[in-house]
């Protein structure tokens, strides 16, 4: 094939492959979307190679789908229109730390844990922590977040500057390394969350933070989910600065206990973390203890020990994987609505009711400080009825969220799974997004059929 | 004129004017740019009226320039291509507070102090505080910031959702009221800072904060500017959370003393503020005192009293106006570069040298925690040589900043004054901005000749 020949010319013979096994690895992600193989997988090593590949794709009007580690949850990396899967795993060597500026510049294939390992000797850390150890390029492409967004913000808030290869092959820089700017349109925030539909991120300059002087984690359980959510609103309204505040339901705690050999009380639970100086954290803890007791919180336990704290968060991070391992043969569907926090208790209650009404088995958990919660459903991919019920459930909670000022996806992105809600969520603003897409990618080669259907 | 007739039809006779005095009020801003009157000024009262006006403008291919209070500093509101000045001062009635969600929804003509007055009984405040008591619509349009960005971020970080009237007259909502979202392109951040070139902001939903339990301000002076900047880097690197950290030079302190009947020591000075709980602020103050003493800081004074503290910040906020009042007949030119903080001491030193070399008289001050500094020059508008020197100075410091990863404007925006630096700062990314502009505003009716020249 002519395209393949051109791709080899632009890179190297051993970095362009149509090997079936490798194609299949690039035809799926970590969730329930139907797989579909790319025609070819290419492993670029430099931004210039990415530019050359995209120019070829544009000339041949051949789709390009950027691929990090394939940990997306809405089919983002699945090449439904065929074409090239552009695998960034070989672009993961460079991490440049500038401690005085609290900045790092990284290759897009660097993962969050790889970055944090590099940062530790500087007393710095990178805050965004989705469940997966995803690549930073992929995390920017989906505007990922995780447990620390309540204090440090989401991926968009960390991106100071990007290098992007445009659909025409040009390489641009968005933003500068200054902490703020009012110079021109804020393109960094446009490319963050654009899911590879406007170009390929080939370098990122990200903000990092000093590791806090004091970190204390806490667990507190409640009689029901509503009480737990109300307690979080109390804490936030009182001005207590929470670095993390995760809600896990009874089913999740059960899974945590089983998979991690723990013995946590099987009840709706908040995992909380405080960051700050010693005096500040002590003050916040005392105040929080009072408020949590008032809010009917039970069995408050603090984990001041680093090892215990790390185990707690590891258990939380691995929860989705624990469910997958605990349900062999099933596929995971994770919902992802986010609501104004005043609406969250109602939202979670509604989700619980819908799950019961549809006799669906699943867990509820969430980044409650941001109003973001997930239902974790394990679906038998061959059971049409189960799949239909899960879809109904998802639809019900998305509509419920949109009617209350929320969004259909708090952190996972649109991919293919949430396309059907875009018109309802954005109204005529969706047209603006499509105009931008067509202005930058008139041939629709960049990840076609994601965020919106290919025209 | 046919356009005028249509505008009256869309609004009301007494809200469409060609009165020379009113035209002249809408033909200038607060800085040095040449004035130019609009052809007509219209005072809309609703989003629907704005939509109707913009449709008329689009039909007649007649420019529309949004106007808040005219406090811009780079000619943003000056209608160099004539047309309609769209004055939002009558759209300033609605302020809806949702304390549980830490959100407010406001009309675009509401000013920051008007909003803060409304928020106070709720124990809340809005953080962004440019020198002027600007409208929130205008502040969003230029991505304004001020003294608190180091802790709370800039305007972009506060905008949860916007209502925007597009150049085709359609009214859209950007974003939702959820604290985070990965749903589609982040249009809020595109319209924030777009300076009215992509549409008109007609409603804003903004994040607000709880008034901190404890606020303490401090003043500390230094032998020279470099030492002051180095001290700030020490404080930030030590993990001390500064809510404000303002550098004012000797000339600025002199002006503060004269205009405010103060007796501050006339030396380079940092104005600092700490926000937090009592314990945390005490801890940070003790630590900061040590570090500041090590950094050769002299005469550290704390202002724990609300009145003294307010006077301190009022004096700082009014500094630019104090200079203007102190120099009758002159016009102000304020430079606005922002650098990575590691480069800031060098940048300020270079600026001082350039000012001396050009025999320019002016003050240096800045939001040093963000790497943003201003030179405040009072220019005789009839003195060609003085104007030329000021331009040379501005050019020198912009180039110096751009070579070191900085931006030509940290918070004032591009307007007309910074157009000439856009290509150098953004390279091929500027083309992307222009493609977006042409996709959304093909007739170039929205604030033409701002950010980039009219094609």
């Amino acid at each position: 094939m002519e395209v393949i020949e051109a791709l080899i010319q632009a890179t190297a013979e051993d970095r362009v492959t149509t090997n079936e096994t490798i194609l299949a690895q690039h035809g799926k992600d970590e969730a329930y979307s139907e797989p579909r193989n790319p025609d070819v997988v290419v492993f670029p090593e430099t931004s210039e190679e990415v530019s050359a590949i995209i120019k070829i794709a544009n000339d041949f009007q051949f789709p390009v789908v950027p691929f990090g580690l394939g940990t997306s949850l809405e089919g983002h990396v699945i090449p439904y229109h065929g074409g090239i899967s552009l695998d960034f795993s070989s672009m993961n060597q460079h991490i440049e730390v500038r401690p005085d500026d609290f900045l790092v510049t990284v290759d897009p294939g660097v993962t969050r844990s790889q970055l944090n390992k590099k940062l530790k000797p500087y007393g710095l850390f990178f805050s965004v922590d989705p469940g997966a150890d995803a690549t930073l390029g992929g995390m920017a492409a989906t505007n990922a977040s995780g447990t620390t967004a309540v204090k440090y913000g989401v991926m968009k808030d960390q991106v100071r500057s990007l290098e992007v290869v445009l659909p025409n092959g040009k390489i641009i820089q968005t933003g500068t390394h200054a902490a703020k700017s009012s110079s021109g349109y804020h393109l960094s925030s446009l490319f963050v969350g654009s899911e590879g539909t406007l170009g390929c991120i080939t370098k990122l300059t990200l903000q990092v933070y000093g590791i806090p002087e004091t970190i204390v984690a806490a667990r507190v359980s409640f009689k029901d989910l509503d009480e737990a959510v109300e307690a979080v609103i109390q804490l936030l309204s009182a001005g207590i600065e929470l670095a993390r505040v995760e809600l896990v339901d009874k089913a999740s705690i059960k899974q945590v206990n089983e998979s991690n050999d723990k013995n946590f009380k099987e009840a709706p639970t908040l995992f909380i973390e405080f960051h700050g100086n010693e005096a500040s954290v002590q003050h916040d803890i005392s105040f929080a203890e009072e408020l949590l007791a008032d809010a009917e919180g039970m069995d408050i336990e603090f984990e001041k020990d680093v090892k215990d704290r790390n185990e707690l968060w590891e258990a939380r991070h691995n929860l989705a994987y624990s469910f997958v391992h605990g349900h062999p043969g099933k596929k995971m569907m994770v919902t992802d609505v986010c609501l104004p926090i005043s609406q969250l208790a109602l939202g979670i209650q509604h989700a619980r009711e819908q799950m019961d009404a549809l006799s669906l088995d699943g867990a509820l958990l969430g980044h409650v400080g941001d109003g973001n919660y997930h239902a974790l459903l394990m679906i038998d991919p061959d059971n049409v009825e189960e799949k239909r019920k899960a879809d109904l459930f998802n639809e019900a909670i998305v509509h419920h969220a949109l009617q209350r000022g929320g969004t259909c996806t708090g952190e996972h992105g649109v991919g293919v799974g949430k396309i059907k809600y875009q018109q309802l969520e954005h109204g005529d603003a969706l047209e603006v997004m499509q105009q931008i897409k067509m202005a930058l990618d008139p041939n629709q080669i960049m990840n076609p059929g994601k965020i919106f259907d290919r025209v």
Side-chain angles (χ1 to χ4, degrees), chain A:
Chain A
M1 241 163 108
E2 219 180 330
V3 181
I4 307 276
E5 198 42 56
L7 291 171
I8 292 171
Q9 288 296 323
T11 57
E13 188 141 16
D14 61 345
R15 293 193 279 114
V16 177
T17 180
T18 54
N19 172 296
E20 275 302 323
T21 311
I22 296 177
L23 293 184
Q25 284 163 357
H26 293 78
K28 58 183 172 59
D29 67 3
E30 286 196 350
Y32 63 97
S33 307
E34 278 296 306
R36 198 302 192 180
N37 287 1
D39 294 306
V40 54
V41 180
V42 186
F43 297 84
E45 289 183 348
T46 64
S47 307
E48 290 67 33
E49 283 188 359
V50 174
S51 165
I53 292 162
I54 290 185
K55 274 185 196 147
I56 292 165
N58 207 15
D59 287 347
F60 285 89
Q61 306 216 5
F62 202 55
V64 179
V65 182
F67 189 98
L69 283 171
T71 57
S72 64
L73 294 169
E74 293 292 352
H76 303 72
V77 300
I78 307 176
Y80 285 111
H81 295 271
I84 303 163
S85 180
L86 200 56
D87 183 315
F88 283 96
S89 59
S90 305
M91 282 175 74
N92 73 342
Q93 296 303 302
H94 296 101
I95 303 179
E96 186 200 339
V97 187
R98 267 163 297 166
D100 277 358
D101 290 318
F102 291 87
L103 289 178
V104 291
T105 298
V106 299
D107 280 350
V110 171
T111 69
R112 65 177 179 85
S113 70
Q114 187 188 347
L115 174 58
N116 270 322
K117 210 170 145 192
K118 176 87 178 193
L119 288 173
K120 208 172 171 188
Y122 296 91
L124 297 170
F125 78 105
F126 178 69
S127 62
V128 187
D129 65 338
D133 186 20
T135 64
L136 294 161
M139 285 167 62
T142 51
N143 191 25
S145 48
T147 67
T148 63
V150 63
K151 179 172 166 72
Y152 299 95
V154 300
M155 201 63 196
K156 176 173 66 65
D157 303 310
Q158 319 310 328
V159 170
R160 187 67 60 86
S161 166
L162 296 173
E163 181 186 86
V164 176
V165 179
L166 296 174
N168 62 12
K170 281 193 184 173
I171 302 173
I172 62 163
Q173 308 290 333
T174 68
T176 69
H177 291 175
K180 61 183 206 182
S181 174
S182 289
S183 184
Y185 303 158
H186 202 267
L187 296 184
S188 299
S189 291
L190 180 66
F191 285 101
V192 171
S194 67
E195 303 186 3
T197 63
L198 299 176
C200 263
I201 297 167
T202 47
K203 205 167 284 177
L204 306 93
T205 298
L206 302 167
Q207 195 171 324
V208 295
Y209 300 89
I211 295 171
E213 182 187 312
T214 305
I215 303 178
V216 176
R219 275 180 299 115
V220 53
S221 56
F222 293 85
K223 229 175 39 261
D224 56 46
L225 287 170
D226 292 13
E227 276 181 355
V229 174
E230 283 304 330
V232 174
I233 295 182
Q234 296 301 320
L235 294 175
L236 294 174
S237 297
I240 296 178
E241 215 176 70
L242 305 171
R244 288 168 152 158
V245 55
E246 296 289 304
L247 174 67
V248 277
D249 72 354
K250 198 175 154 181
S252 306
I253 290 284
K254 207 162 164 254
Q255 189 68 54
V256 164
N257 283 342
E258 276 174 24
S259 305
N260 300 272
D261 199 21
K262 292 279 179 194
N263 196 19
F264 296 151
K265 183 176 170 181
E266 294 187 2
T269 301
L270 293 176
F271 291 180
I272 305 177
E273 197 167 84
F274 303 88
H275 291 182
N277 61 51
E278 175 76 31
S280 165
V281 169
Q282 279 316 323
H283 175 283
D284 277 351
I285 285 180
S286 309
F287 194 8
E289 274 191 298
E290 273 176 49
L291 292 171
L292 288 169
D294 285 352
E296 312 287 341
M298 299 175 293
D299 314 305
I300 309 176
E301 294 265 5
F302 292 95
E303 317 265 17
K304 297 190 183 183
D305 182 74
V306 180
K307 189 171 149 286
D308 290 346
R309 203 178 64 227
N310 286 347
E311 277 181 19
L312 179 76
W313 291 114
E314 224 174 284
R316 167 63 192 90
H317 271 115
N318 293 335
L319 199 44
Y321 295 114
S322 302
F323 272 104
V324 174
H325 290 300
H327 296 77
K330 298 234 175 177
K331 280 205 164 182
M332 180 171 62
M333 179 194 268
V334 200
T335 70
D336 179 38
V337 301
C338 186
L339 287 147
I341 196 162
S342 65
Q343 306 297 313
L344 183 62
L346 273 177
I348 290 182
Q349 200 182 325
H350 170 260
R352 188 73 263 169
E353 286 164 12
Q354 293 293 311
M355 263 165 103
D356 292 347
L358 289 159
S359 317
L360 279 166
D361 192 22
L364 284 169
L365 57 154
H367 314 302
V368 281
D370 310 306
N372 184 205
Y373 76 90
H374 307 298
L376 233 151
L377 308 172
M378 297 311 306
I379 308 291
D380 178 349
D382 301 324
N383 185 332
V384 179
E385 180 58 12
E386 203 170 81
K387 177 77 171 59
R388 196 189 62 88
K389 279 188 191 171
D391 284 337
L392 277 178
F393 170 73
N394 204 355
E395 200 155 310
I397 63 166
V398 167
H399 284 268
H400 190 270
L402 294 183
Q403 281 156 18
R404 282 153 188 84
T407 174
C408 71
T409 170
E411 56 181 11
H412 295 168
V414 178
V416 288
K418 297 281 169 71
I419 289 179
K420 57 186 164 205
Y421 306 121
Q422 292 299 291
Q423 182 66 49
L424 190 62
E425 177 163 340
H426 300 298
D428 284 342
L430 187 61
E431 203 176 294
V432 174
M433 297 181 199
Q434 286 165 327
Q435 285 168 332
I436 293 170
K437 165 75 176 176
M438 294 311 285
L440 300 192
D441 184 18
N443 296 326
Q444 300 180 75
I445 58 156
M446 287 306 311
N447 209 1
K450 307 297 158 56
I451 301 185
F452 10 71
D453 291 319
R454 197 178 192 176
V455 181

